[in-house]
Amino acid sequence: MSEAWVTLTTNDSYSVGALTLATSLKRVGTTRQLVCMVTKGVGEGMLNCLKQKFDHVVQVEELDSNDAANLKLLDRHDLGITFTKIRCWTLTQFSKCVFLDADVLALSHCDELFDRDEFSAAPDAGWPDCFNSGVFVFKPSLETYTNIMKFASETGSFDGGDQGLLNSYFSDWPHKDITKHLPFTYNMVASATYSYLPAYTKFGKNVKIVHFIGATKPWLIHFDGKGEPQIGGTEQHTKNHLQLWWQLFSNEVKPMLEKSSAFKVSHESYQFMSSHVAPTFTACPPPPPSPPTDSRADWERGSPDYTGTASFNNILKKIDETLAVKDSN
C-alpha cells in the first residue's frame, strides 16, 4: 500500500492554501502521493484546480463540533468545522499518512516523517504538553475513525476544535513515548519566531515546515510596491516565509486560478491577487531574518533582542559600567 500527504479544505479560501501547500511539497521533491479532502463548500472551479495539483481529491461530509463556548475562548468560531479533519482516518487505501493543515508550507524535503509511527506530532507553542494538530503522522483505520467519533460524541473537545479532541483522544502523547514527539522544526508555528527569537535565530535555518496559525492567512496578506508584506509588528519575523509562500502562489497557483472559473467565482475574495505585484525571491528556503534593533518598547512588551543589546554579555557589561561609576563616586 502507498503513503500520502493529506490535507483538508472546506471552502475556496483555504483551497488557495492547499494548492500552495501542494506546490511546496512538489518543490522539495516528495516521493509520496498528495491527497486533498474537500467538502461541499469548495466550488466547482476550485475543485478542478485542486485535481490538477493533487493525486487524489476526496469528497467528505462536513463535521462540526458546534461548541460555541470553547470556540469563543479561542476567538475562532470558524474552527468548529475542523472536526472534519477526523475523516482522514477513513483513507484506508493508504498504509500511512502525514496530515498537514492547508495553512502550512514545506520548506525542505521531509519524507522522513513517514518513518514515524502513529500518533506522532510536534509540541504546541502555546501549551507544549499538547501537540499541535497542524502536522501529524497517522495510520488510516476505520476502527480508529469509529473510536474517535464515539469519543467525540461522549467527551467533545476542550477547545471546540480538532486539536482539543485529538489531544484528549491521544492523551498519552505527552509522556508515553518520546519518539512520537516530532521536532518543532516540523511544525514551527509562525508566532514562535516572535515569542522566542533567540531560538529562531539559532535553529530557524533547520525549519522544514512552517505553520501560519491564527486568523490572518498568507493568502490574505497584501504586499506593497517594494515587495514588503503589510503585516503587524508581531509578525515581522515571518516575513521571509510569507514571501516564499507568495512566490509559489504567484508562479504556479495564481495563473491556474486566473485560467479557471475558480477565479471568476471567487473574484471578490481574490481581487487583490489580480493586482498583486509579487516580490522577487531566491529559490532556496529563506534564512532566518536578521534580529531587530532592541528598544525600550521591546523590553516593555517582553520581547527584548537577546542576540543584540539585550545579550547576556552586553547586560553584564552594562552592570559593570554602572558599578564602576558608583565606585568612582
Side-chain angles (χ1 to χ4, degrees):
M1 298 176 69
S2 58
E3 299 175 333
W5 299 97
V6 178
T7 191
L8 164 71
T9 176
T10 58
N11 54 48
D12 281 2
S13 181
Y14 268 80
S15 294
V16 175
L19 288 166
T20 308
L21 167 60
T23 300
S24 73
L25 286 168
K26 292 180 179 180
R27 167 182 173 269
V28 298
T30 183
T31 61
R32 269 56 173 196
Q33 296 190 57
L34 306 183
V35 179
C36 185
M37 299 190 299
V38 299
T39 67
K40 62 182 179 181
V42 178
E44 183 178 352
M46 189 63 75
L47 197 60
N48 291 332
C49 291
L50 290 168
K51 289 178 179 178
Q52 295 178 53
K53 282 288 184 181
F54 287 85
D55 299 302
H56 306 275
V57 175
V58 182
Q59 290 277 356
V60 295
E61 291 186 20
E62 292 181 356
L63 292 173
D64 197 322
S65 68
N66 293 313
D67 190 347
N70 282 322
L71 292 171
K72 185 177 181 180
L73 291 175
L74 292 174
D75 195 26
R76 291 292 303 279
H77 293 279
D78 57 308
L79 291 182
I81 199 173
T82 61
F83 260 45
T84 310
K85 184 184 297 187
I86 301 165
R87 302 281 194 198
C88 69
W89 270 274
T90 67
L91 301 173
T92 54
Q93 63 269 45
F94 302 102
S95 58
K96 188 183 291 185
C97 298
V98 178
F99 187 91
L100 301 172
D101 277 351
D103 57 351
V104 309
L105 190 72
L107 302 184
S108 63
H109 186 82
C110 42
D111 282 5
E112 65 274 10
L113 282 177
F114 290 90
D115 295 332
R116 300 283 185 143
D117 202 359
E118 182 180 77
F119 181 90
S120 294
D124 186 72
W127 196 266
D129 278 345
C130 290
F131 55 78
N132 183 282
S133 61
V135 178
F136 60 82
V137 182
F138 71 100
K139 292 182 178 179
S141 162
L142 292 181
E143 180 181 2
T144 303
Y145 170 71
T146 300
N147 290 339
I148 296 177
M149 289 291 288
K150 181 180 179 182
F151 185 89
S153 65
E154 296 174 350
T155 306
S157 167
F158 63 76
D159 65 0
D162 68 279
Q163 184 159 304
L165 169 64
L166 292 176
N167 269 279
S168 295
Y169 183 80
F170 294 101
S171 59
D172 61 358
W173 178 86
H175 55 81
K176 185 177 181 180
D177 187 354
I178 192 65
T179 65
K180 295 184 179 181
H181 287 214
L182 298 180
F184 192 61
T185 51
Y186 284 102
N187 187 6
M188 190 204 73
V189 296
S191 60
T193 62
Y194 171 72
S195 61
Y196 196 21
L197 179 59
Y200 179 63
T201 302
K202 180 174 178 59
F203 303 112
K205 63 182 180 297
N206 300 322
V207 172
K208 294 203 166 192
I209 298 174
V210 62
H211 187 181
F212 299 100
I213 64 170
T216 303
K217 301 305 179 186
W219 51 91
L220 301 178
I221 296 294
H222 293 264
F223 284 81
D224 61 23
K226 297 180 180 179
E228 293 295 321
Q230 302 302 291
I231 54 180
T234 60
E235 299 176 279
Q236 285 296 329
H237 307 313
T238 68
K239 181 175 68 174
N240 286 343
H241 297 129
L242 284 170
Q243 288 176 328
L244 177 60
W245 189 98
W246 268 92
Q247 179 189 36
L248 298 179
F249 166 79
S250 300
N251 291 343
E252 298 197 37
V253 177
K254 181 182 172 184
M256 180 189 304
L257 293 176
E258 290 177 328
K259 292 178 181 179
S260 74
S261 58
F263 192 82
K264 298 175 182 177
V265 170
S266 306
H267 181 70
E268 183 177 351
S269 300
Y270 306 127
Q271 59 183 346
F272 71 91
M273 295 180 184
S274 62
S275 59
H276 169 71
V277 178
T280 56
F281 317 94
T282 58
C284 58
S290 301
T293 302
D294 197 32
S295 68
R296 178 174 178 175
D298 294 323
W299 280 92
E300 291 175 345
R301 64 170 175 256
S303 60
D305 174 15
Y306 294 106
T307 64
T309 56
S311 68
F312 184 67
N313 288 337
N314 281 336
I315 290 175
L316 284 180
K317 182 179 179 181
K318 182 65 177 178
I319 292 174
D320 290 340
E321 290 175 351
T322 302
L323 292 175
V325 171
K326 289 184 177 180
D327 289 343
S328 64
N329 293 334

